[in-house]
Amino acid sequence: MNKVARFLWFCSGAHIPLLLRSPTDTNKYIGIGGTVLFTGILAALSAGYALYTIFQSLLPALFFGILWGLMIFNLDRFIVSSMRKKASAWNDWKLATPRLVFAVLLALVISKPLELKMFEREINRKLDEKKTVFLAESKAAIAAGFPEITALEGKVDTLKSETARVEAYRNRLQQEYDYERFGTKTDGTSGIVGLGSNARKKEQQLDAAQNALDQTKADNLVRIDTLESQIRGLMAIRQAEFEKQQPGIDGFDGLAARLDALHLLTEESIAMKYANIFIILLFIALETAPIFVKLIALRGPYDSLLDLHEDYVEVYVDEQTIKSREKSERRIKEFRLENGVSESFTT
């Protein structure tokens, strides 16, 4: 317990020899040191997660996360240790104001990556939605850059329509021929059963239509194959262009993208908005807690001992300065006496 207490005193920035002479203040500085320590740990976790989303590698994220945590720990320790409890509350607040502002800024920096981790599922869902939109926009933009495909597909459709039209004409003649043979009375048939003159005429027309259909199919099939070959070539080029852009879309999950997704979520959902605000306030409270503890705490024996120690140092420095000046003046006088130099000459 003694080692833990000493470590927390160190975290609070207290002067341990003086603190040991004021046991009533030891628990206060244990609490301050614990707050500073856990703020540094949270800062390390926050930075580690943020850097992991950037580097996608554990070792760099671990190294820089620990480095960031130590830096925040050192800053918090400096902020707390540099505050001196004075007799005037107004002077205390004047000294604490810039430190509070700096602590709030640190809290905002620390809280944001942890917010991203807390809302990771919702952010991933929002990122998936944005990726889907980006994919559709990318496909549309690339397709707009290949108007030849649409033109070629139009030609293929025209040829297919022509074949279908010729085939429909042949089917109509086939039906009329069948009606004529079996004696079905229509506007175009005689209604006489058997292969009469009308049936033979229909048969000739059907044969001509069949030959025309076969020729049209053969000609259009060659043309369609040629056009579809060109379409496949252009589509392969278009797909290659899309595949070049797809890794960038799939990799749309960096730190900036996640921050943007979190911003959109807070705009879309009131619950997310207030949860985000409360988390930020929590970290602000955590970061500023040591400063407020020092502000609201009564002036204790440790503060008096610290002031006394600093006054002693100042008095000691003044004494040494005076002694040094007297010693220097004495040497000057001795030099004058030894060399017979008058004071008016030296001046």
Side-chain angles (χ1 to χ4, degrees):
M1 177 61 185
N2 190 33
K3 291 182 179 180
V4 174
R6 283 181 172 272
F7 177 69
L8 293 177
W9 290 337
F10 166 77
C11 294
S12 69
H15 189 264
I16 296 178
L18 291 179
L19 188 60
L20 290 174
R21 295 169 59 185
S22 53
T24 56
D25 281 344
T26 54
N27 288 333
K28 178 175 72 175
Y29 282 91
I30 286 176
I32 293 175
T35 305
V36 172
L37 174 63
F38 285 112
T39 303
I41 293 173
L42 287 175
L45 293 174
S46 175
Y49 174 73
L51 292 169
Y52 182 77
T53 60
I54 297 173
F55 295 113
Q56 294 294 316
S57 179
L58 182 61
L59 288 179
L62 186 64
F63 174 75
F64 288 108
I66 293 174
L67 185 64
W68 176 260
L70 290 174
M71 186 184 72
I72 297 299
F73 168 78
N74 187 59
L75 284 173
D76 284 341
R77 185 172 179 271
F78 167 74
I79 290 172
V80 173
S81 63
S82 62
M83 289 186 63
R84 296 286 187 269
K85 191 69 179 177
K86 303 297 181 182
S88 172
W90 173 244
N91 289 332
D92 290 342
W93 278 100
K94 284 196 299 183
L95 291 174
T97 298
R99 293 170 173 82
L100 285 172
V101 173
F102 190 65
V104 170
L105 292 176
L106 288 179
L108 294 175
V109 173
I110 293 171
S111 66
K112 194 56 65 177
L114 292 179
E115 290 177 56
L116 297 179
K117 184 61 178 176
M118 292 177 183
F119 300 120
E120 186 175 17
R121 292 182 180 178
E122 293 80 4
I123 290 173
N124 288 338
R125 176 176 55 81
K126 177 59 68 175
L127 289 176
D128 289 339
E129 292 176 1
K130 297 192 74 173
K131 287 178 183 179
T132 303
V133 173
F134 288 157
L135 284 172
E137 292 177 350
S138 177
K139 288 182 178 179
I142 293 174
F146 289 86
E148 301 89 349
I149 295 178
T150 304
L152 292 173
E153 288 176 344
K155 291 180 180 180
V156 171
D157 292 338
T158 301
L159 292 174
K160 288 181 178 180
S161 298
E162 181 184 357
T163 302
R165 178 177 55 79
V166 175
E167 187 173 4
Y169 176 70
R170 178 260 179 203
N171 292 337
R172 183 171 62 81
L173 292 178
Q174 177 69 53
Q175 186 180 43
E176 290 180 358
Y177 174 65
D178 292 338
Y179 285 168
E180 187 66 39
R181 282 191 305 161
F182 298 114
T184 303
K185 178 65 177 174
T186 64
D187 293 339
T189 59
S190 62
I192 301 172
V193 179
L195 294 174
S197 59
N198 287 334
R200 295 185 186 281
K201 187 184 295 184
K202 296 290 184 185
E203 185 178 8
Q204 291 174 358
Q205 292 175 351
L206 178 60
D207 291 340
Q210 183 64 50
N211 292 332
L213 176 61
D214 293 339
Q215 185 64 40
T216 301
K217 281 185 175 181
D219 293 342
N220 288 349
L221 183 62
V222 174
R223 295 175 184 174
I224 289 173
D225 287 342
T226 302
L227 293 172
E228 287 183 344
S229 177
Q230 295 176 5
I231 291 172
R232 285 193 296 270
L234 291 172
M235 291 183 70
I237 298 173
R238 186 177 69 180
Q239 182 64 25
E241 291 292 330
F242 175 72
E243 289 176 355
K244 288 180 182 178
Q245 297 184 12
Q246 191 166 5
I249 297 174
D250 293 338
F252 184 72
D253 59 352
L255 183 61
R258 290 182 173 274
L259 288 171
D260 184 60
L262 178 61
H263 175 68
L264 292 175
L265 287 170
T266 55
E267 288 185 343
E268 295 172 359
S269 172
I270 297 296
M272 287 282 295
K273 179 179 180 180
Y274 283 113
N276 184 41
I277 292 173
F278 288 146
I279 291 172
I280 293 174
L281 292 177
L282 175 64
F283 278 93
I284 290 175
L286 181 65
E287 184 67 30
T288 57
I291 300 175
F292 279 113
V293 167
K294 276 212 163 185
L295 284 174
I296 64 178
L298 297 175
R299 181 179 171 85
Y302 172 77
D303 299 304
S304 300
L305 288 173
L306 190 60
D307 289 343
L308 182 62
H309 179 72
E310 291 180 347
D311 291 341
Y312 172 78
V313 172
E314 290 179 1
V315 170
Y316 176 78
V317 171
D318 291 340
E319 288 179 352
Q320 294 300 316
T321 302
I322 293 172
K323 288 180 180 179
S324 178
R325 288 177 180 174
E326 291 177 349
K327 189 175 182 180
S328 177
E329 290 176 357
R330 186 168 57 252
R331 288 179 177 177
I332 292 173
K333 289 180 180 180
E334 291 175 354
F335 175 79
R336 289 172 181 167
L337 291 174
E338 290 176 358
N339 295 277
V341 179
S342 63
E343 185 175 351
S344 60
F345 177 78
T346 57
T347 57

